[in-house]
Amino acid sequence: MKNINEIQMYQQRFESQKPQCGFGLLGICCRNCALGPCRISPFEEGAQLGVCGANADTITARNFLRMVAAGASAHSDHGRAVAETFIKVAKGEAPGYEIKDEYKLLKLAFEMGIKIDGLKKEEIALQVGEKCLAEFGKQEGSLILTKRAPLKRQKIWTALNIVPRGIDREIVEALHRTHMGTDQDYLNLMLHASRCALGDGWGGSMIATELQDIMFGTPVPVRGRVNFGVLKENCVNIIVHGHEPLLSEMIVLAAEDPQLVQMAKDKGAEEINIGGICCTANEILMRHGIPIIGNFLNQEMAITTGAVEIMAVDVQCIMQSLPLVASCFHTKIITTSEKAKITGAIHISFTEENAFEKAKEIVKMAIENFANRKKSDISIPEQEMDLVAGFSHETISYILGGMFRASYKPLNDNIINGRIRGVAGVVGCNNCKVVQDSVHLKLVKKLIENDVLVLQTGCSAIACAKEGLLDSIRGLDFCGKGLREVCEAVGIPPVIHMGSCVDNSRILVAATALVKEGGLGDDISDLPAAGAAPEWMSEKAISIGQYFVASGVFTIFGVTWPTLGSENLTRYLFNEIENQLGGKWAFESDGEKIAQLMIKHIDEKRKKLGIDRARERILFDMEMRRQL
Ligand code: NFS
Ligand code: SF4
C-alpha cells in the first residue's frame, strides 16, 4: 500500500500545473492540424494569425463549438444508452428493470405520435424506445421534443435555421465545421453551436430524463441526507459515482438482497450502506432517497475516509487519480462502462442483460473487502445535513395545483403578484480555481434572500444541500419575506432540487410550463428568469449554457470564460446573440455580483411584462390577502 502523504491530491496537482497556459485560458490556441499548434498573441505585437490564416475569432469559436459538441455528446450518449436499455426492458431482455411510470409512458407516446389503441404497455414502450433511439440518427426534419418549446421559440429557431435535425448529425457537423479549413466565420460557427446544443437540451438530455423517469419512476419529493457523515463506520460502504443510473439503480436493488445483507452481517457489518457522488448520486437520491456523499471535488477525499469498500464508477467527471488514491487504502475502484476504463481499476463489464447479477457481484466484493479495512485509517468527517429532493416538473405542478388540477398557476400568480420575484436556475460543477462550493452558496443565498426561487441540478444542488438550503425548514431562514410565505404555504424549500445535469431538461420544460400557463409573456425569453453555473468546469456545462441561451435565457458563468481571446466572439455571446435568440451569456466570478446581474435582469423582465408595480406594492392589506 502507498502512503497518502506520498501522492498528490487534486489541490497539489493544481498547484503543480501553475502557471496555467494563458493562451489556453483565453481560448486562442489551436492544434486542429499539423501545420500548428498555433497560438494568437493577445497583444498587438506577435502572431495575429495561425499558419492557415485563422484569426482569434475563428480559433476561439471553433474551440467553443468543440466544447459544445463534446458536452452534447456526453449527455446524448447517456441518453442513447438509456434508450437502448429501455428497448431491452420493453422486450423483456433486461431482468431487474421495469416500466414504472406508465402514465408518463403514455404521455410520451402521445407526443411522439404513436397509436396506443389496444397495445400492451410493453408494446408501447418498445415503440417509444425505438422512436427515441431513432432521434439520434435522424438526418432530416426536426427533433420531436423541440415541439415542446413555446411556439414563438420554435419560430425563432426555424427562422435562424437552427432547429436540430438529428442529435448525432449536429455533433458530427460540429466536428466537420471545426476541422481545419472548413467553417471560418465565427458567427456561422456560433449558429451551429446553438443548433448542436439544442440537440442536447431538447434532444439527448431530454430523452435521457424522460426514459429514466418511465423506467425508474418520476421523482416525487423525498427526504435525504448529504455530506461525508453519511458514510458509516460500522457498515459496508459502497460509493456509486458518475452519471448513468442504469448501474446504480441495480446496485441499490442488489444491496437490499436478503442474502447479501445477511452476508454483510456475518462479516460483522451492521448493514450495506450506499452513497453517491456527482450526478449518479443525484439520480438515486431523487428516486430512492439514497444519501449523497458529495459533489465533484469530494471524490478523492471520500476514499481518504478509509471506510469505503468499493467505489463503482460509470461515465463522466471521474478523476483518473481515483485508483492512485485508492492504492493508499483498502478501497477498490470498479469501472463498469466499456466507454470508460481506468488503468489500475478493476473492470466489471456491465450490460442490461447481466446488470442485476453484476451489481450483486459488486456488492459481494464490497462485503468481502470490509475485512481488509485498516482501523487506524478510518476517519469520517461528522458533517451531515438533511434535505428534500425529488422535484420533477410533474411533481412541481402537483404540489402547486393539487393532484387533480396539476398546474403552474399558483407559481405564475405568485410571480405576477411579486411574492416571488423570479426564477433562477443555478447548476453546474465545482472548480478548483475557487473555494469549493463558495460561489454557489454566495449566489444562491443572495437570490433567495431577494425572493428569487432557485431551481437546481448537478453538483450545485449538492453544494447547497450541504449548507441546508434544500431543507424545507432550514432553507427558509435564508429567504426573503415573499418567497418564504410561498414556500411555507406550499411546503417546499426555496431551493428546488430537480436532479442530475441531464435533468436540466426539466428546467426547460418547467420554463415552458410557466410560459404556457399565461401571464408571463409568450416565450421563455419573456420570463423573469436567469441561469448560472458559477463554478463550472465541464464541457457539458458549456453545452447546457448554450442551449439555455438559445432557448432565451440570460446565463452567467463564473470562474473563467473560454472566448476572452476574441473581442468579436465575446461581444457576440455577451450581447449581440440576444438580438437573435433573446438570451445571452455573461461572465462574472463573484457570487454576489452574479446574483446582482440575475436580479437586475429579472427586474427588467418584470418591467417589460408590466408586473414591476406589483412588487413595489408587496405589503398586502387584508382585502388583498383575502383575494389571494
Ligand atoms: Ni454536471 Fe454532473 Fe458535477 Fe459538473 Fe460533473 S457531475 S453532469 S458536469 S461536475 S455538475
Ligand atoms: Fe494552426 Fe490553422 Fe492548423 Fe489551427 S488549423 S493548427 S490555426 S494552421
Side-chain angles (χ1 to χ4, degrees):
M1 250 187 220
K2 287 201 181 73
N3 185 319
I4 186 73
N5 296 316
E6 286 161 15
I7 68 162
Q8 289 190 323
M9 305 279 277
Y10 78 84
Q11 295 93 333
Q12 289 109 23
R13 297 195 300 272
F14 177 51
E15 284 310 310
S16 66
Q17 282 294 333
K18 285 181 180 170
Q20 289 183 311
C21 173
F23 295 97
L25 281 169
L26 295 172
I28 39 178
C29 47
C30 177
R31 44 177 296 273
N32 290 11
C33 87
L35 305 181
C38 301
R39 44 193 206 177
I40 305 300
S41 164
F43 311 106
E44 265 163 42
E45 62 275 16
Q48 294 303 307
L49 298 175
V51 179
C52 67
N55 61 15
D57 301 338
T58 303
I59 291 175
T60 46
R62 283 196 304 220
N63 290 339
F64 188 84
L65 176 50
R66 283 199 168 195
M67 292 178 90
V68 169
S73 62
H75 285 148
S76 299
D77 217 31
H78 168 172
R80 185 198 326 270
V82 176
E84 284 173 341
T85 304
F86 193 86
I87 289 171
K88 290 201 174 138
V89 176
K91 287 182 177 165
E93 292 168 4
Y97 298 99
E98 54 184 314
I99 303 292
K100 277 201 181 140
D101 190 339
E102 215 170 316
Y103 177 67
K104 193 156 181 165
L105 171 69
L106 295 181
K107 252 179 56 187
L108 187 59
F110 178 75
E111 268 185 285
M112 302 200 120
I114 294 165
K115 291 207 177 61
I116 56 173
D117 297 346
L119 293 186
K120 285 203 297 248
K121 136 175 132 177
E122 289 73 21
E123 292 166 330
I124 300 169
L126 181 59
Q127 286 198 41
V128 166
E130 280 171 349
K131 198 123 191 186
C132 284
L133 193 59
E135 289 292 275
F136 292 88
K138 220 158 76 177
Q139 302 301 326
E140 291 298 334
S142 56
L143 293 181
I144 300 171
L145 295 178
T146 57
K147 298 274 181 285
R148 285 184 170 179
L151 230 57
K152 189 166 166 196
R153 183 60 18 200
Q154 293 182 46
K155 282 189 185 145
I156 294 170
W157 293 338
T158 306
L160 289 167
N161 195 23
I162 57 166
V163 182
R165 295 155 290 189
I167 298 161
D168 293 354
R169 175 166 191 173
E170 308 313 344
I171 294 167
V172 169
E173 189 170 313
L175 294 178
H176 177 193
R177 285 191 192 217
T178 55
H179 181 276
M180 187 272 172
T182 309
D183 199 353
Q184 290 158 104
D185 173 347
Y186 72 96
L187 293 172
N188 205 39
L189 283 159
M190 282 306 101
L191 279 177
H192 192 70
S194 292
R195 193 176 210 173
C196 186
L198 289 171
D200 172 357
W202 298 86
S205 281
M206 206 172 270
I207 287 173
T209 299
E210 293 289 317
L211 298 186
Q212 283 173 183
D213 279 357
I214 296 172
M215 261 195 292
F216 305 132
T218 303
V220 293
V222 59
R223 294 204 154 276
R225 286 170 303 128
V226 63
N227 221 338
F228 287 111
V230 306
L231 286 168
K232 296 289 172 231
E233 184 165 355
N234 44 12
C235 294
V236 170
N237 289 309
I238 300 174
I239 296 184
V240 287
H241 171 24
H243 283 77
E244 298 177 352
L246 301 173
L247 160 81
S248 48
E249 280 281 337
M250 286 302 121
I251 291 187
V252 170
L253 210 60
E256 290 165 359
D257 184 279
Q259 265 181 335
L260 289 172
V261 173
Q262 191 51 50
M263 185 180 162
K265 287 188 172 151
D266 294 344
K267 298 269 176 189
E270 244 170 50
E271 51 184 278
I272 304 167
N273 184 36
I274 299 189
I277 288 183
C278 283
C279 281
T280 284
N282 288 323
E283 298 277 7
I284 53 174
L285 164 75
M286 293 282 284
R287 299 196 179 87
H288 304 283
I290 301 285
I292 293 189
I293 288 153
N295 44 5
F296 175 67
L297 283 182
N298 289 137
Q299 56 185 291
E300 291 181 331
M301 206 179 145
I303 297 172
T304 66
T305 59
V308 178
E309 274 62 60
I310 272 184
M311 187 185 274
V313 304
D314 49 74
V315 291
Q316 301 166 24
C317 302
I318 299 151
M319 287 191 177
Q320 188 176 345
S321 56
L322 293 181
L324 182 65
V325 180
S327 69
C328 307
F329 299 88
H330 76 300
T331 309
K332 290 189 167 129
I333 307 292
I334 314 271
T335 53
T336 54
S337 166
E338 290 305 302
K339 292 171 202 159
K341 294 191 178 181
I342 305 175
T343 312
I346 302 166
H347 188 73
I348 294 188
S349 190
F350 181 86
T351 63
E352 295 88 348
E353 290 86 356
N354 68 17
F356 189 51
E357 283 314 307
K358 292 292 165 182
K360 284 205 282 195
E361 196 179 304
I362 291 171
V363 173
K364 209 161 150 198
M365 212 176 198
I367 296 169
E368 273 155 10
N369 201 21
F370 184 69
N372 297 328
R373 278 188 187 182
K374 237 168 81 195
K375 261 232 136 32
S376 58
D377 275 349
I378 297 181
S379 121
I380 305 173
E382 279 172 7
Q383 282 83 349
E384 222 181 306
M385 182 57 81
D386 294 319
L387 65 98
V388 181
F391 295 95
S392 54
H393 148 70
E394 291 84 347
T395 302
I396 294 178
S397 65
Y398 288 142
I399 292 176
L400 291 169
M403 194 64 193
F404 297 106
R405 48 191 171 88
S407 95
Y408 273 61
K409 188 156 190 309
L411 183 54
N412 282 44
D413 287 349
N414 278 303
I415 293 174
I416 293 166
N417 70 27
R419 281 195 185 141
I420 295 179
R421 191 173 195 153
V423 181
V426 181
V427 306
C429 326
N430 284 145
N431 190 313
C432 56
K433 293 188 171 110
V434 296
V435 176
Q436 184 182 3
D437 300 340
S438 65
V439 199
H440 290 294
L441 296 181
K442 218 176 183 183
L443 165 62
V444 171
K445 283 182 185 167
K446 199 83 212 159
L447 288 171
I448 58 177
E449 184 190 313
N450 283 282
D451 294 326
V452 176
L453 179 70
V454 176
L455 308 180
Q456 292 217 285
T457 60
C459 289
S460 185
I462 302 176
C464 293
K466 286 187 255 179
E467 186 75 358
L469 302 180
L470 273 61
D471 183 277
S472 36
I473 310 239
R474 233 178 244 105
L476 297 178
D477 294 344
F478 300 91
C479 287
K481 191 165 162 284
L483 179 61
R484 190 186 171 116
E485 268 179 39
V486 177
C487 289
E488 270 174 341
V490 185
I492 51 169
V495 182
I496 305 278
H497 192 345
M498 297 188 78
S500 68
C501 289
V502 290
D503 293 335
N504 281 312
S505 61
R506 296 191 204 277
I507 300 184
L508 294 177
V509 175
T512 304
L514 282 171
V515 173
K516 292 191 174 161
E517 191 56 56
L520 294 174
D522 49 12
D523 179 37
I524 295 175
S525 66
D526 296 332
L527 294 173
E535 298 180 24
W536 77 281
M537 65 87 198
S538 153
E539 291 167 310
K540 289 177 284 175
I542 291 290
S543 178
I544 293 167
Q546 187 66 24
Y547 73 63
F548 270 101
V549 168
S551 300
V553 181
F554 176 44
T555 304
I556 307 172
F557 270 36
V559 190
T560 178
W561 182 252
T563 73
L564 291 177
S566 161
E567 239 175 75
N568 287 332
L569 175 60
T570 305
R571 192 183 341 100
Y572 169 76
L573 292 173
F574 289 3
N575 268 307
E576 292 153 9
I577 193 172
E578 195 177 17
N579 302 328
Q580 284 181 327
L581 286 159
K584 63 178 176 184
W585 287 92
F587 165 50
E588 170 55 60
S589 38
D590 181 83
E592 183 109 10
K593 287 191 187 140
I594 299 176
Q596 283 165 5
L597 285 170
M598 293 172 91
I599 292 167
K600 186 167 162 269
H601 178 82
I602 284 171
D603 285 350
E604 280 165 14
K605 292 291 176 187
R606 293 188 67 87
K607 195 162 182 196
K608 268 202 193 132
L609 289 166
I611 55 172
D612 51 328
R613 311 284 313 162
R615 223 193 122 64
E616 286 166 21
R617 287 191 261 115
I618 190 79
L619 287 173
F620 291 82
D621 58 24
M622 243 0 246
E623 182 50 32
M624 290 163 79
R625 277 183 198 281
R626 250 180 244 123
Q627 276 178 8
L628 282 166

